[in-house]
Amino acid sequence: MNELAKEYPFVHIYAQQKIRQPVIIKANTEGLCVLLNALISAIAQSERNGIAEVFDGDAEVYEVIVRFVNTHDELAPLPYQKS
C-alpha cells in the first residue's frame, strides 16, 4: 500500500446525498491541520472565508472554503434538496 506523502495536506470530503446521511472527512495529519486552520480563520474573522488548499486522492489541488453564517437563509441551498 502506498503511504500518503507527509508534506502534502490530503483531504477528501464526502458530501451528503440525502437528509441525515453523515458527512465523512478522510485526511492525513497535515490535511486536518490545514482544515482546522481554515475553521479557526472563519471564526476569528467572520467577515472573511477560511480557506484550506488541500489535495485529493488523485493528488489534484482544490480549495475547501469555510463560511461563517448567522441565518438559515445563508445555509441554503442544502446539497440534498432539489431546487
Side-chain angles (χ1 to χ4, degrees), residues 1-70:
M1 213 175 242
N2 294 337
E3 292 281 326
L4 294 174
K6 294 189 184 317
E7 62 271 15
Y8 296 106
F10 285 98
V11 176
H12 193 90
I13 301 171
Y14 298 86
Q16 289 177 302
Q17 300 299 310
K18 57 185 175 182
I19 194 167
R20 292 187 178 77
Q21 181 180 13
V23 171
I24 298 170
I25 300 173
K26 292 182 179 181
N28 63 357
T29 301
E30 292 73 18
L32 290 175
C33 288
V34 170
L35 189 56
L36 178 62
N37 286 336
L39 292 167
I40 291 170
S41 293
I43 293 168
Q45 301 174 341
S46 60
E47 68 283 352
R48 298 180 58 197
N49 295 330
I51 299 174
E53 190 171 277
V54 298
F55 294 88
D56 64 13
D58 294 330
E60 297 290 332
V61 68
Y62 72 101
E63 289 183 340
V64 177
I65 298 172
V66 180
R67 290 190 180 139
F68 184 86
V69 298
N70 290 305

